[in-house]
Amino acid sequence: MEITLDKLLASRDRRVEMQQKLRETNPNSTLVCLTVIMPGNIKRNLFSLIASQAAINALLNTLEGNIVDVVTRDLETGYEAYVVTRLSQQEAKQKACEIEDNHPLGRLFDIDVLDDNGVPMKRELLGFAPRRCLMCDNEARYCMRNRTHSPQELNAQIQKMIDSYVQQL
């Protein structure tokens, strides 16, 4: 199903509401939010399902023993997971960056750790390099902003990454 910009924006609003609710009910914990990067108008497909399951498994395994609560949502606008952890924000962000940088599908994962104001912490705060593009070595935000790569190129790269990952299972 193709997602309109209005649906995507409404989904982001609902995600912020969920984040606020979880932060309010767990004031002394750290909130980690997971989504899958899936360019284009289709956010739910076999590739996003495989990536989302890999992402949540990696996150839960990494945070094991420090998890307070887990909420997952499988929406038409994509997969979302919220993990409340006992780890400090810095410890959680460190682990999130390590997953994004080292997992075979990590470039498809968007793992945010919210600060005290509900704002995602920057990778650079802990000395991590900015996220890299799926296609080249430029910063991902540069290529996204400039639409350097076509949706077809990006989807072909995602398919290649997923196929390689599945073959290793």
Side-chain angles (χ1 to χ4, degrees):
M1 172 185 291
E2 287 195 21
I3 301 301
T4 64
L5 181 58
D6 288 341
K7 284 185 180 181
L8 195 59
L9 293 174
S11 176
R12 287 184 183 172
D13 290 343
R14 287 189 301 274
R15 190 176 316 129
V16 169
E17 290 171 7
M18 175 64 85
Q19 292 168 350
Q20 289 172 337
K21 177 183 168 189
L22 288 168
R23 288 180 55 242
E24 288 170 6
T25 57
N26 299 282
N28 297 318
S29 300
T30 298
L31 180 58
V32 181
C33 302
L34 166 70
T35 56
V36 173
I37 297 166
M38 197 58 49
N41 295 337
I42 298 175
K43 302 299 182 185
R44 272 187 93 251
N45 57 33
L46 180 60
F47 299 137
S48 65
L49 176 64
I50 292 169
S52 66
Q53 291 306 304
I56 191 65
N57 288 340
L59 187 59
L60 294 178
N61 288 337
T62 299
L63 300 179
E64 188 175 21
N66 293 297
I67 297 172
V68 175
D69 193 14
V70 176
V71 176
T72 59
R73 300 196 307 184
D74 188 2
L75 308 170
E76 66 179 346
T77 52
Y79 182 84
E80 300 173 0
Y82 306 87
V83 180
V84 180
T85 179
R86 292 179 195 88
L87 295 177
S88 71
Q89 294 166 358
Q90 290 77 15
E91 290 172 305
K93 186 62 179 178
Q94 172 89 24
K95 291 181 181 297
C97 290
E98 289 170 359
I99 293 169
E100 290 174 343
D101 290 349
N102 297 318
H103 191 281
L105 299 178
R107 284 188 172 181
L108 300 178
F109 306 164
D110 187 10
I111 307 173
D112 289 331
V113 175
L114 302 184
D115 67 15
D116 292 334
N117 298 315
V119 176
M121 295 176 65
K122 300 282 186 199
R123 298 168 55 85
E124 295 80 2
L125 181 69
L126 297 178
F128 285 90
R131 296 291 303 264
R132 293 307 203 198
C133 172
L134 292 173
M135 302 293 299
C136 67
D137 270 341
N138 289 331
E139 285 187 33
R141 63 181 152 221
Y142 172 81
C143 289
M144 285 175 21
R145 188 177 320 123
N146 293 311
R147 298 189 177 160
T148 305
H149 311 287
S150 73
Q152 294 82 7
E153 290 174 307
L154 292 168
N155 287 326
Q157 178 64 18
I158 290 170
Q159 182 174 352
K160 183 178 173 185
M161 292 169 68
I162 298 280
D163 287 346
S164 176
Y165 175 74
V166 168
Q167 288 176 3
Q168 294 175 3
L169 294 179

